[in-house]
Amino acid sequence: MGNTDWRTLLPMELEIVADELVESPLNNILHDDEIAKQVAQGTRAATVRVWRHAPVQGLVVSRRDIAGANGERAMATMADEGWPIFVRSTGGTAVPHGIGMLNFSVMFPRQHEKATTDAYYRLLCQPLIDWFVHLGLAATTGEVPGSYCDGGYNVQIDGKKIVGTAQAWRGGLAGTTSRHPGYVLAHACIAIDLDITEAISAINRFYGYTGAAVDVQPEAASTLQERMRRPFDSAQAKRSLIEFLEPYFTAQGIIVRCQTALADRPL
C-alpha cells in the first residue's frame, strides 16, 4: 500500500453538509456526484456529506453487478421481492440500502499528482475509526472474509464488518481551468441498526440471480447498535458524527463550515 500521509490531502477549507433528497432514493445516492462536480469546478469547497438513504429498503450495487441480461433480470426479480436495486458510480459489490444505514462521503478536487487510492481510503476511514473511539469502541481496517463488499478498507469492530468503502476518480489533474476538472469521491456505508441477516440474504439472492459466485455470511458483519449494546439509530448516528467531525477537522487546521441544522431533519 502507498505511504502518502492522508493528512497531506486535507484542504484548507471544508464544508460539512447533511443534504438528503428524500423524494428520490436514486437521486439521493447520485447527489454525491453532483456535489463532487461542483467541487471539481471550484464552485464549492471540498465537501464531506453525512447522509441517510431515503426510507426505501433495497441494495446499492455497481454498474458491473448489473451488466448483461442476467443483471437486468436480477433487478426485476429483486424489485418484485421488495428489494429494489440502485446503481452507484463507485465500484465494489452490493451493500444494503435503507434507513438503517448511514453514509459518509468525501468529495475533494483532484489536485495531488502523487496521491494514491490508499491515502484517500485512509482519509475516509480514520475519522470513522476515531469517531468509534469517541463512542467507546475500538476499530480497525482490514478484510473480513465472508462479508458483503469485502475489501482491505472495511472498518471492523470485534472482527465484524461495520463499514464498507468504495472510491471513484473522475476527470484530470489540470484543475478548474480544464474542460474536465477532476474529483475524488470516497464513500463509506455504515451499518447502524438494520436487520443485517435479512439484508445479507437479499444480497445472496441478488447474486444468485445474476449467476455470480458470491456467498456472503451474516456472521461476518454487524451493526453499530449491536456493538454499542444500546439503542442507536441512524438519526442519532448522523447527529453524533456531524458533531464529532466539525471539531475533528478544525483541529487539523482546516476552516470548517458545517450545516448542523440539517442534521435533525427527519426522513
Side-chain angles (χ1 to χ4, degrees):
M1 294 183 179
N3 295 318
T4 305
D5 185 346
W6 64 271
R7 292 175 183 82
T8 65
L9 303 178
L10 292 172
M12 295 181 63
E13 296 187 15
L14 181 68
E15 185 176 359
I16 300 175
V17 300
D19 307 42
E20 291 169 346
L21 307 184
V22 298
E23 68 279 0
S24 170
L26 182 57
N27 287 343
N28 195 32
I29 294 167
L30 298 180
H31 190 48
D32 278 354
D33 298 89
E34 296 306 313
I35 293 174
K37 290 173 185 176
Q38 295 170 22
V39 169
Q41 293 162 359
T43 58
R44 69 185 302 164
T47 301
V48 164
R49 180 184 176 214
V50 181
W51 56 285
R52 296 162 296 171
H53 289 296
V56 176
Q57 172 183 270
L59 300 177
V60 182
V61 306
S62 67
R63 292 188 179 96
R64 183 179 61 182
D65 280 332
I66 58 165
N70 282 351
E72 294 178 7
R73 286 193 292 268
M75 289 182 69
T77 303
M78 293 301 295
D80 289 342
E81 294 180 2
W83 283 87
I85 302 298
F86 303 97
V87 182
R88 62 177 182 264
S89 62
T90 51
T93 54
V95 297
H97 166 107
I99 199 167
M101 301 291 289
L102 181 67
N103 299 275
F104 174 57
S105 304
V106 173
M107 291 149 283
F108 283 9
R110 283 197 63 191
Q111 295 178 333
H112 299 271
E113 184 176 358
K114 296 182 180 180
T116 64
T117 56
D118 289 318
Y120 275 106
Y121 273 126
R122 288 193 293 272
L123 186 155
L124 180 72
C125 294
Q126 192 60 53
L128 295 178
I129 290 171
D130 293 337
W131 177 50
F132 291 153
V133 170
H134 174 73
L135 295 175
L137 301 167
T140 187
T141 57
E143 295 181 355
V144 181
S147 66
Y148 63 92
C149 198
D150 191 23
Y153 285 100
N154 298 319
V155 180
Q156 52 182 288
I157 298 173
D158 302 328
K160 294 182 180 291
K161 176 171 180 164
I162 305 295
V163 181
T165 59
Q167 192 172 147
W169 294 35
R170 299 286 185 265
L173 280 163
T176 57
T177 59
S178 168
R179 290 181 59 191
H180 302 287
Y183 63 83
V184 177
L185 165 59
H187 178 74
C189 298
I190 311 163
I192 304 296
D193 65 338
L194 74 161
D195 185 330
I196 201 75
T197 300
E198 182 182 8
I200 289 174
S201 174
I203 290 172
N204 282 328
R205 293 199 309 277
F206 167 71
Y207 284 116
Y209 298 144
T210 66
V214 174
D215 183 20
V216 181
Q217 303 301 317
E219 62 271 14
S222 185
T223 66
L224 193 54
Q225 179 177 259
E226 287 178 347
R227 297 301 100 191
M228 294 177 69
R229 295 176 173 82
R230 65 177 175 85
F232 196 67
D233 64 22
S234 62
Q236 292 172 300
K238 182 181 180 182
R239 289 193 297 272
S240 174
L241 181 54
I242 290 175
E243 289 169 0
F244 173 81
L245 289 175
E246 185 172 10
Y248 182 85
F249 285 121
T250 299
Q252 306 288 338
I254 300 171
I255 299 170
V256 178
R257 297 193 301 273
C258 186
Q259 294 183 7
T260 52
L262 287 176
D264 292 319
R265 178 181 175 181
L267 281 174

